[in-house]
Amino acid sequence: MAVTDYQGPAFDSNELKELKQKLVDASHILDDQGITDGFGHVSARIAGANAFITLAGVSPGCATVQRLVLLDFDGHYLGGDNAPPYEWPIHACILKARPEVASVCHTHSKWSSLFSVLKGGLPPVHMYAKFLPVAGPPIYPAAGLVGTVQRGEALVTALQDSAAVLLRAHGDAVVGASVEQALLRTVQLSFLGELAHRAVDHGEPLYLSAEELATFSADQAFPARPWEYYLSRIRARRSP
């Protein structure tokens, strides 16, 4: 273990057992939904500490609780499988800059990648876009993987206070107040990209206005339902 002032729970503690399983479940859901391939990762903040857990050099669809790693915001190894993802600064820099964020998903979604290179970005075509700015998610304009703190901080600058950012010719980073919320937003972002792509085949879309998004945002939400649904799908897949 690296020299650090980390005072949070140990990687193998019972306190982190549920959180680690959520990370594995979220990873399997992203794979089941066809959003990730061999790359991508989900992270979760350790409450009260400058640290997080994420996937340890493993594809999301192959994630297990044994193949997770605990890191501090400087990238120091604190426990688990000592194989941090190359783009760990995505998680560390966002979590450090946005204390209200508890989880970050990074994927190479084909839909996010597509709209990251279009001049118009991804404008809102469905009520699922209510968690995004009316102009759509901002775009991180730089090429290259986010494998350094400098690039991670530049990504944070592009993200600002949005819930998602598209990475040019790369993918996305999506944040949430919980693993469940970050996961659901990532799935919805993929849905929005596919729908926007299909919409132009039928004419010029009438994109949602700020007022329409506000109306949808004011409606009652049912956040537990989709998480339960997606869990049921991966559990059925795990069954012999």
Side-chain angles (χ1 to χ4, degrees), residues 39-230:
F39 301 95
H41 19 85
V42 187
S43 66
R45 179 191 297 273
I46 304 301
N50 293 328
F52 63 100
I53 298 177
T54 190
L55 304 192
V58 62
S59 301
C62 300
T64 66
V65 292
Q66 292 78 31
R67 300 189 72 178
L68 301 174
V69 61
L70 175 62
L71 302 171
D72 69 13
F73 290 169
D74 293 319
H76 295 136
Y77 170 74
L78 301 175
D81 186 358
N82 193 2
Y86 181 74
E87 294 189 291
W88 66 265
I90 291 177
H91 306 275
C93 292
I94 291 175
L95 292 170
K96 184 176 181 179
R98 297 275 298 273
E100 82 283 7
V101 169
S103 180
V104 180
C105 291
H106 168 55
T107 82
H108 295 174
S109 163
K110 61 189 175 192
W111 301 115
S112 291
S113 299
L114 169 64
F115 283 92
S116 75
V117 297
L118 297 181
K119 289 183 178 179
L122 177 57
V125 292
H126 187 273
M127 64 179 181
Y128 284 174
K130 63 186 180 182
F131 72 92
L132 295 169
V134 67
I139 298 175
Y140 170 69
L145 299 178
V146 187
T148 67
V149 171
Q150 182 180 14
R151 290 184 179 182
E153 290 174 345
L155 177 64
V156 168
T157 299
L159 175 65
Q160 298 183 346
D161 61 352
S162 178
V165 60
L166 306 184
L167 284 67
R168 176 170 170 76
H170 183 169
D172 54 46
V174 185
V175 307
S178 64
V179 173
E180 296 93 327
Q181 185 181 61
L183 177 280
L184 177 59
R185 286 174 169 178
T186 303
V187 174
Q188 290 176 333
L189 183 64
S190 177
F191 174 90
L192 291 167
E194 182 174 6
L195 193 64
H197 170 68
R198 293 177 180 274
V200 296
D201 287 338
H202 301 277
E204 184 178 358
L206 297 174
Y207 297 114
L208 296 178
S209 67
E211 292 75 17
E212 289 173 316
L213 288 176
T215 298
F216 281 122
S217 294
D219 288 338
Q220 185 175 359
F222 306 90
R225 185 179 299 176
W227 176 256
E228 179 184 40
Y229 166 71
Y230 293 126

